Amino acid sequence: SQKIEQNSEALNIQEGKTATLTCNYTNYSPAYLQWYRQDPGRGPVFLLLIRENEKEKRKERLKVTFDTTLKQSLFHITASQPADSATYLCASQKSNYQLIWGAGTKLIIKP
Amino acid sequence: GAGVSQSPSNKVTEKGKDVELRCDPISGHTALYWYRQSLGQGLEFLIYFQGNSAPDKSGLPSDRFSAERTGGSVSTLTIQRTQQEDSAVYLCASSQTPTEAFFGQGTRLTVV
């Protein structure tokens, strides 16, 4: 069955360093992947979308890559700040309107 | 409104009671989704509404769950005869395109 996996362990990063989060998918080939940020007690907030024919997408300090050979997307935050601490969710296209969601990775940026 | 609004924010109910969760989407958004999020799990798709089309109910876990969307705007998710396993955060999202969804803050449901 179609699956999407994110590292369930929290990621601790020192402020100023680059944080890298991983999203792996199996048994399908999505046309695009999305990354969302979720803070405690809040709904997810859309960050970036990357399509299968795009290798890389950037938005300010954020960068997303999409490797269809490895079936993997990487999400990078450069010059990380404590305010970047949150849970980051990966979601991939399942159908025209449905997404498959990862469980998210909690990112903690230490000052 | 400015964003997706859900009510109530928190709901504690006794096992066996019915509950109604409300979602007010962003004005003009034709698509509306309900998801369920349990601790440590990914978002679980429940139901999808698009304009006047028949909703996709394929994610509803049992016939105790139902949802409606009146006038293409406000949606209500109803859970009948609640069970403890229904405890979760219920999230509503609306969108104008499939590629970006806007979420409400969620309703945390606790069945005791």
Side-chain angles (χ1 to χ4, degrees), chain A residues 77-92:
Chain A
I77 304 176
T78 58
S80 59
Q81 305 165 1
D84 296 326
S85 298
T87 295
Y88 290 86
L89 305 173
C90 171
S92 67

Side-chain angles (χ1 to χ4, degrees), chain A residues 32 34 36 38 41-44 46 49 51 89 96-99 101-103, chain B residues 33 35 37 40-43 45 48 56 58 91 98-101 103-105:
Chain A
Y32 59 81
Q34 301 182 8
Y36 286 76
Q38 186 173 25
R42 309 294 295 270
F46 173 81
L49 177 149
R51 299 187 186 278
L89 305 173
N96 282 347
Y97 55 83
Q98 268 202 49
L99 298 172
W101 292 81
Chain B
Y33 301 78
Y35 290 96
Q37 187 175 34
Q41 305 291 319
L43 273 66
F45 167 78
Y48 165 75
D56 178 350
S58 62
L91 290 163
T99 52
E100 182 175 353
F103 283 82
Q105 83 282 9

Side-chain angles (χ1 to χ4, degrees), chain A residues 21-60:
Chain A
L21 287 71
T22 305
C23 174
N24 295 296
Y25 59 93
T26 53
N27 298 327
Y28 67 113
S29 299
Y32 59 81
L33 285 161
Q34 301 182 8
W35 284 87
Y36 286 76
R37 169 183 173 141
Q38 186 173 25
D39 291 284
R42 309 294 295 270
V45 174
F46 173 81
L47 296 175
L48 280 167
L49 177 149
I50 186 165
R51 299 187 186 278
E52 60 180 342
N53 61 349
E54 297 174 317
K55 293 255 189 290
E56 183 180 294
K57 202 82 164 283
R58 290 176 185 259
K59 179 182 174 183
E60 297 172 354

